[in-house]
Amino acid sequence: MYRYDEFDQEFVDQRIAQFSDQVRRRLKGELNEDQFKPLRLMNGVYLQLHAYMLRVCVPYGTLNSRQMRKLAHIARTYDRGYGHFTTRQNIQFNWPKLSDVPAILKELAEVEMHAIQTSGNCIRNTTADHLAGAADDEIADPRPYAEIIRQWSSLHPEFTFLPRKFKFAITGAPHDRAAIQVHDIGMQIVRSEAGDLGFKVYVGGGQGRTPLVAKLVRDFLPEEDLIAYSEAILRVYNRYGRRDNKYKARIKILVHETGIDELRGDIEAEFEKIRHGVLQLPADEVRRIETYFALPPLDPAATSARFDAKSAGNPAFAAWAERNVHPHKVTGHASVTISLKPIGGVPGDASAEQMEAVADIAETFSFDELRVSHEQNLILPHVRLDDLDKVHDALVAADLAEGNAGLITDIIACPGLDYCALANARSIPIAQEISERFGNAERQRAIGDLKIKISGCINACGHHHVGHIGILGVEKKGEELYQLTLGGSADETTSIGAIIGRGFAGDRIVDAVETVVETYLKLRANDNETFLAAYRRVGDAPFKEALYGTA
Amino acid sequence: MKTICKLVTANRLADGEVVWLGAHGAWVETIDGALVLEDAAAVEAAEAAAARAVAANEVVDVGTIDVTRQGSGVVPVRLRERIRAAGPTFRTDLGKQAQASRASNAA
């Protein structure tokens, strides 16, 4: 994985010194809150309902066991013994003291981590396929490009005060596990007919109060132009993006209001001006960065005899493996989802002890490498099939062996009103209740692939717009009310879910979800027709009728 | 209908702790210690005291909230403020509710 060079380390160290001094001046009263707030946000420090919150960047979701142990240490020493993994593949701590933040940042820097650009109107952490570098369907590892974007976008003087925040996502596989079409810029690695590596570029996707699927702005962008073209898009956005209204300031609104064809013309014109300049990527530099992400020394002759025997002899292990083990590009290996969705648990939360257990497992069985997925789980990218039973045993011991990846209890939920200053309704208790309701292993397997995503306000941090079943919490007359959307998706067939009808009270929403699921089970063409496929085939009507009766 | 009273609340600057304005301009960590404001003059005086505390860099994010009296205490009207006064609803080991239960266990 990527290691800091002297520039990275110096940059992070300088920032810590600068922000530590800003915190000191704030606590002494030399800075007031209006002056300090933009500074703390640039360094990942929010003020939430109960306390400050610190969001720590996990670049493109990749980290090693030493970094995970440090996160555990921070959770235990400065927080309440746990952390929350987010849909931006980052981690948040919910209870730090402002006065402790400088010490926390120093500890993070010891393991090449920081909290820079995890908030504010700048380019945020580039997210990537959590199976990057391992998936068997991948054209190329997207992380070297995500790292190049990180280097280019860190403290970029031109893009530090954008109209609004800006998010990149990148996938190296045709099957999109990174939700690229609901990002400001989404990149998909492709090969040209001549065999050259490049990108399909999507622009103007996003969720929030105006959910829009991104438009394809370029069929094929040569590798060497990754940054020049990104810069061209950002320049056009920075120039024309609206600053008069916060809710219309994302690039998706610019794309929507201007039209993709006109905007493409602007972007291409800007691109032509700069494409052969300093931003042209030197091939040898790309190859150099790629070496940081090289596959570990996996043995292509690794067998699966032990795995086959253990699967045959242990139904619990086999059931877990069926859902949480993913094909690897090297024979005899697999990637593993470590579910942070125990039945009735808090999606994305991990205790310090669990983080340490995961770090130990990664060190022993996955070449010291871990990923955070945007679906709020952890991933062991490179595990020998014949080690899987040992990994499973270790996960069982750490209460992390739920075999529910991609099932109805593998829910994305934002922190909601239990933590968040912006939220209007609670998310996590709804996720917990759904998880309990459908927690039976046979039941959720019979239902099959089904993604539920829950947001506690219109900002859509819980990705409800792209949930197969989406739930949006709102406040109506002082009560929590939950709107149901159906048919959303965040893969290569991205779609925005449609609101099915009037909302449900907090004590009725889980029944409504169950009604939708039971309706699906009755109408599906066969056991293999997923909820999303069935919904796309039959539309709203049967679900509306089941929920609200005939009009 | 229950009478609506007001409290002034904020987060303490140095550690983010949720606090309410108590008697004599002091900021207290539990809602039971908050000064209950019964009329407009009391609200005005409390908000002025809060503004001074913001200027003195003691607290941030000041707000005036609605509460009703219940028994010997007060309960915020909005769920948001009830959660701020107690902690996350699904983890009673966190937030002020945890301290309250620890205190009652010790007693």
Side-chain angles (χ1 to χ4, degrees):
Chain A
M1 68 181 261
Y2 185 74
R3 298 303 311 265
Y4 280 9
D5 60 20
E6 72 267 32
F7 301 108
D8 297 306
Q9 194 67 54
E10 195 183 319
F11 167 66
V12 170
D13 291 346
Q14 280 180 1
R15 175 60 81 85
I16 292 170
Q18 183 187 54
F19 185 57
S20 297
D21 189 53
Q22 289 160 346
V23 170
R24 183 189 62 77
R25 288 155 64 203
R26 174 70 185 114
L27 292 173
K28 277 186 73 181
E30 294 168 14
L31 293 173
N32 66 32
E33 188 63 11
D34 287 344
Q35 293 163 329
F36 181 65
K37 188 176 176 182
L39 301 174
R40 70 166 159 76
L41 288 175
M42 274 181 212
N43 291 283
V45 181
Y46 288 73
L47 180 61
Q48 296 288 28
L49 286 190
H50 309 290
Y52 290 99
M53 179 193 88
L54 178 66
R55 182 179 294 152
V56 176
C57 184
V58 181
Y60 30 88
T62 294
L63 73 171
N64 61 27
S65 57
R66 185 162 164 254
Q67 292 173 319
M68 186 62 102
R69 285 198 189 94
K70 181 61 89 176
L71 296 174
H73 167 76
I74 287 166
R76 192 178 282 130
T77 310
Y78 302 98
D79 210 85
R80 303 283 164 91
Y82 71 103
H84 178 73
F85 291 96
T86 77
T87 56
R88 235 153 165 87
Q89 298 178 304
N90 292 326
I91 183 169
Q92 296 176 176
F93 294 105
N94 287 310
W95 306 89
K97 294 177 179 162
L98 178 60
S99 50
D100 280 342
V101 168
I104 297 172
L105 295 179
K106 248 185 205 144
E107 297 235 24
L108 287 169
E110 289 171 12
V111 296
E112 304 183 358
M113 297 185 88
H114 61 75
I116 300 165
Q117 288 181 212
T118 59
S119 176
N121 294 334
C122 53
I123 299 172
R124 304 286 188 88
N125 185 25
T126 296
T127 48
D129 182 357
H130 49 265
L131 301 182
D136 68 338
D137 61 348
E138 182 173 272
I139 293 168
D141 188 339
R143 292 173 303 158
Y145 305 108
E147 171 56 28
I148 289 166
I149 292 168
R150 185 194 69 79
Q151 294 188 15
W152 159 75
S153 63
S154 291
L155 212 63
H156 193 305
E158 202 175 321
F159 307 135
T160 300
F161 298 94
L162 292 168
R164 199 74 180 83
K165 60 187 167 185
F166 202 94
K167 298 174 181 178
F168 278 76
I170 179 163
T171 173
H175 175 44
D176 178 8
R177 289 171 287 259
I180 66 165
Q181 291 184 47
V182 282
H183 278 78
D184 296 288
I185 292 181
M187 302 264 186
Q188 181 192 344
I189 298 174
V190 291
R191 266 193 203 285
S192 69
E193 279 177 26
D196 296 326
L197 217 56
F199 309 91
K200 250 186 192 177
V201 185
Y202 293 87
V203 67
Q207 301 197 55
R209 66 188 59 220
T210 313
L212 290 165
V213 177
K215 305 281 187 198
L216 184 64
V217 64
R218 208 174 212 274
D219 259 335
F220 186 82
L221 179 72
E223 179 189 70
E224 63 180 17
D225 293 323
L226 172 72
I227 295 305
Y229 199 75
S230 298
E231 180 130 332
I233 295 173
L234 264 298
R235 278 192 176 171
V236 168
Y237 168 55
N238 211 11
R239 179 167 176 196
Y240 296 114
R242 289 178 60 170
R243 291 172 190 264
D244 61 316
N245 181 343
K246 179 182 174 185
Y247 302 119
K248 295 187 184 294
R250 295 288 289 268
I251 194 173
K252 63 189 175 187
I253 303 295
L254 181 66
V255 171
H256 183 70
E257 289 184 350
T258 312
I260 187 64
D261 292 329
E262 187 181 335
L263 212 63
R264 181 185 293 115
D266 293 340
I267 293 166
E268 290 287 336
E270 185 63 35
F271 177 50
E272 278 308 317
K273 283 189 230 161
I274 59 178
R275 70 182 297 184
H276 301 297
V278 292
L279 294 176
Q280 188 172 19
L281 288 179
D284 54 349
E285 181 61 9
V286 180
R287 303 288 88 81
R288 187 185 73 81
I289 288 176
E290 272 175 359
T291 59
Y292 287 113
F293 300 93
L295 259 183
L298 306 178
D299 175 10
T303 62
S304 61
R306 180 186 167 92
F307 171 66
D308 296 338
K310 289 281 178 186
S311 299
N314 181 348
F317 170 62
W320 170 82
E322 188 193 331
R323 291 306 313 190
N324 291 34
V325 171
H326 316 288
H328 198 283
K329 59 171 73 165
V330 178
T331 315
H333 296 79
S335 302
V336 171
T337 295
I338 299 173
S339 173
L340 296 182
K341 319 290 174 68
I343 300 308
V346 179
D349 274 12
S351 68
E353 293 71 30
Q354 288 177 319
M355 290 184 220
E356 282 163 348
V358 165
D360 290 345
I361 295 167
E363 195 169 33
T364 311
F365 297 110
S366 185
F367 294 88
D368 206 30
E369 206 182 297
L370 282 160
R371 309 285 172 76
V372 182
S373 79
H374 88 273
E375 293 181 320
Q376 300 183 284
N377 291 313
L378 299 174
I379 307 290
L380 300 164
H382 312 295
V383 183
R384 283 171 67 119
L385 287 174
D386 279 354
D387 284 337
L388 282 173
D389 62 297
K390 288 173 255 175
V391 168
H392 182 250
D393 289 346
L395 291 174
V396 169
D399 271 338
L400 288 167
E402 201 60 52
N404 60 349
L407 294 177
I408 188 168
T409 59
D410 185 5
I411 299 167
I412 291 181
C414 73
L417 190 56
D418 283 294
Y419 289 104
C420 178
L422 299 174
N424 302 118
R426 288 172 293 166
S427 305
I428 291 168
I430 303 298
Q432 291 176 304
E433 198 183 335
I434 292 171
S435 177
E436 297 278 5
R437 181 75 62 96
F438 294 97
N440 176 282
E442 287 75 42
R443 187 177 189 196
Q444 45 177 329
R445 271 153 211 281
I447 296 164
D449 290 352
L450 210 173
K451 294 180 193 291
I452 295 186
K453 304 182 200 261
I454 309 173
S455 305
C457 83
I458 192 64
N459 292 308
C461 295
H463 291 193
H464 67 278
H465 293 300
V466 292
H468 300 163
I469 297 176
I471 298 172
L472 166 64
V474 299
E475 185 183 354
K476 197 173 179 190
K477 294 179 187 157
E479 299 290 327
E480 293 163 296
L481 189 80
Y482 294 90
Q483 286 179 350
L484 208 49
T485 58
L486 302 183
S489 174
D491 62 5
E492 62 279 12
T493 66
T494 291
S495 53
I496 304 298
I499 296 173
I500 187 76
R502 62 181 185 275
F504 298 88
D507 58 0
R508 292 278 304 132
I509 181 64
V510 180
D511 291 340
V513 169
E514 189 166 33
T515 299
V516 168
V517 171
E518 290 299 324
T519 304
Y520 150 67
L521 290 175
K522 274 182 225 145
L523 63 73
R524 67 181 172 187
N526 56 59
D527 290 356
N528 295 323
E529 189 182 42
T530 62
F531 175 86
L532 185 63
Y535 174 85
R536 284 176 173 171
R537 177 171 58 80
V538 303
D540 269 352
F543 299 99
K544 252 188 188 143
E545 192 182 325
L547 285 168
Y548 305 109
T550 40
Chain B
M1 187 169 163
K2 284 184 178 158
T3 315
I4 303 281
C5 304
K6 307 253 183 208
L7 307 180
V8 169
T9 183
N11 291 77
R12 201 157 53 205
L13 170 66
D15 61 4
E17 182 78 31
V18 176
V19 288
W20 294 265
L21 187 65
H24 314 299
W27 293 92
V28 297
E29 291 190 14
T30 58
I31 196 167
D32 296 337
L35 186 65
V36 182
L37 310 167
E38 309 257 0
D39 56 46
V43 170
E44 199 177 318
E47 287 176 346
R52 286 193 296 275
V54 168
N57 300 299
E58 290 173 41
V59 298
V60 289
D61 254 29
V62 169
T64 303
I65 63 167
D66 291 343
V67 295
T68 57
R69 288 190 185 278
Q70 258 176 43
S72 59
V74 292
V75 176
V77 171
R78 292 187 69 201
L79 176 60
R80 179 187 203 272
E81 293 303 324
R82 295 200 292 276
I83 290 173
R84 283 182 79 240
T89 57
F90 52 86
R91 275 196 69 172
T92 51
D93 62 323
L94 294 173
K96 294 173 188 296
Q97 59 199 351
Q99 288 140 26
S101 73
R102 270 201 296 277
S104 68
N105 288 343

